[in-house]
Amino acid sequence: MSSTFDTVANIIAETCDIPRDTITSESHAIDDLGIDSLDFLDIAFAIDKAFGIKLPLEQWTQEVNDGKATTEQYFVLKNLCARIDELVAAKTA
Amino acid sequence: MRPEVFKMVDRVVAIDPGLETIQCEGLVPQESSIFEGHFPGHPIMPGVLLIEAMAQTTGWLILARNRFEKMPFLATVKEAKLRTFVVPGQMLDLHSRILHEGSGFVVAQTKALIEGKPVCNAELVFRVLPWPEGRMKDVVLKVAERVEFPVAGFVDA
């Protein structure tokens, strides 16, 4: 069974045509990989489907806009994967 | 239908109780200023307006799902196929089905038929955003009444 990171990295590689070997757990989806908000909708769609969750993008965006969170907390891939794991755990709890 | 002013849907025919699908219809008019250029002496509905018709159909379904709390804006058109010419006088039978509702976006599969035969289809992605400042929500609600959208069932008093 592949890890959350592998699944997410594969989704990003396929969705955004980014070489898989350039995507690391430290990559920032926006700053390092150059993914824009429109492409991130496709990624969110694929992540939602793959994990059976609903990434709370509106909440995250609001928190970043309000200065209550940084983009690193949600868009560095290791952090994104941690959020996904939390959402999956909450769903199955 | 008045394509020259983007009135692509004449009537909401049905919305399923689960809010997963919608059916609308729009009659391609015999005359419209868009046919002056597309094309002179050979009027054909522009493919982009067929996509707009499918998008507006989907838009009514998204508005039903969120009870007019937010407005859908077309963001992505995927795998659009324009299968045959659509000409004045033909009735578009428009269908849309929700594939996924995420946080702030919706993905839908949509198609248009004429006399039961598919003429176009696409997968559409919408951003779903708070209403802009100004009259937009009031205007959309007025259009909803014109297209026989069951407003009373979906808009809180």
Side-chain angles (χ1 to χ4, degrees), chain B residues 13-23 61 64-65 96-98 154:
Chain B
V13 176
I15 301 175
D16 88 286
L19 303 181
E20 296 295 326
T21 64
I22 189 171
Q23 180 185 5
L61 181 57
R65 288 170 71 94
S96 191
R97 176 171 60 89
I98 300 296
F154 293 98

Side-chain angles (χ1 to χ4, degrees), chain A residues 37 42 45 48 55 57-58, chain B residues 70 76 78 100 102-104 127:
Chain A
S37 63
D42 287 337
F45 176 31
D48 285 359
L55 286 183
L57 295 181
E58 291 172 298
Chain B
K70 293 183 178 180
T76 306
K78 293 182 184 175
H100 181 67
S103 173
R127 293 182 195 271

Side-chain angles (χ1 to χ4, degrees), chain A residues 36-42 44-46 48-49 53-59, chain B residues 70 75-76 78 99-105 107 123 125-130:
Chain A
D36 66 16
S37 63
L38 187 58
D39 283 334
F40 203 82
L41 292 187
D42 287 337
F45 176 31
D48 285 359
K49 273 199 307 185
I53 60 174
K54 186 168 167 176
L55 286 183
L57 295 181
E58 291 172 298
Q59 178 194 326
Chain B
K70 293 183 178 180
T76 306
K78 293 182 184 175
L99 296 179
H100 181 67
E101 181 165 6
S103 173
F105 71 98
V107 185
E123 183 179 308
V125 181
F126 294 79
R127 293 182 195 271
V128 184
L129 302 173

Side-chain angles (χ1 to χ4, degrees), chain B:
Chain B
M1 180 189 297
R2 290 186 60 207
E4 66 278 9
V5 290
F6 274 61
K7 290 182 177 176
M8 308 305 299
V9 169
D10 291 331
R11 188 168 75 95
V12 175
V13 176
I15 301 175
D16 88 286
L19 303 181
E20 296 295 326
T21 64
I22 189 171
Q23 180 185 5
C24 296
E25 64 183 17
L27 177 63
V28 179
Q30 290 291 348
E31 302 209 359
S32 168
S33 57
I34 62 164
F35 297 135
E36 293 173 15
H38 199 281
F39 294 95
H42 192 74
I44 298 171
M45 267 294 283
V48 290
L49 291 181
L50 295 175
I51 292 169
E52 176 65 22
M54 295 190 291
Q56 290 186 14
T57 296
T58 310
W60 290 119
L61 181 57
I62 296 171
L63 286 164
R65 288 170 71 94
N66 71 38
R67 302 185 66 80
F68 285 75
E69 292 291 324
K70 293 183 178 180
M71 176 68 187
F73 293 92
L74 182 61
T76 306
V77 178
K78 293 182 184 175
E79 301 289 332
K81 292 187 177 173
L82 307 167
R83 298 175 181 280
T84 186
F85 292 149
V86 175
V87 298
Q90 290 187 308
M91 177 68 83
L92 288 175
D93 177 20
L94 298 152
H95 296 259
S96 191
R97 176 171 60 89
I98 300 296
L99 296 179
H100 181 67
E101 181 165 6
S103 173
F105 71 98
V106 168
V107 185
Q109 184 67 47
T110 180
K111 65 183 176 183
L113 313 173
I114 291 177
E115 295 178 349
K117 294 181 180 170
V119 294
C120 55
N121 57 275
E123 183 179 308
L124 305 178
V125 181
F126 294 79
R127 293 182 195 271
V128 184
L129 302 173
W131 289 97
E133 295 287 330
R135 307 169 48 231
M136 190 174 194
K137 183 174 181 179
D138 290 339
V139 170
V140 170
L141 283 168
K142 277 196 166 47
V143 176
E145 291 180 5
R146 177 181 63 77
V147 299
E148 302 176 31
F149 182 98
V151 175
F154 293 98
V155 179
D156 298 322

Side-chain angles (χ1 to χ4, degrees), chain A residues 20-55:
Chain A
R20 172 64 179 83
D21 57 7
T22 65
I23 302 170
T24 74
S25 63
E26 299 293 333
S27 300
H28 190 301
I30 302 164
D31 296 343
D32 297 329
L33 302 178
I35 298 167
D36 66 16
S37 63
L38 187 58
D39 283 334
F40 203 82
L41 292 187
D42 287 337
I43 292 169
F45 176 31
I47 288 175
D48 285 359
K49 273 199 307 185
F51 294 96
I53 60 174
K54 186 168 167 176
L55 286 183

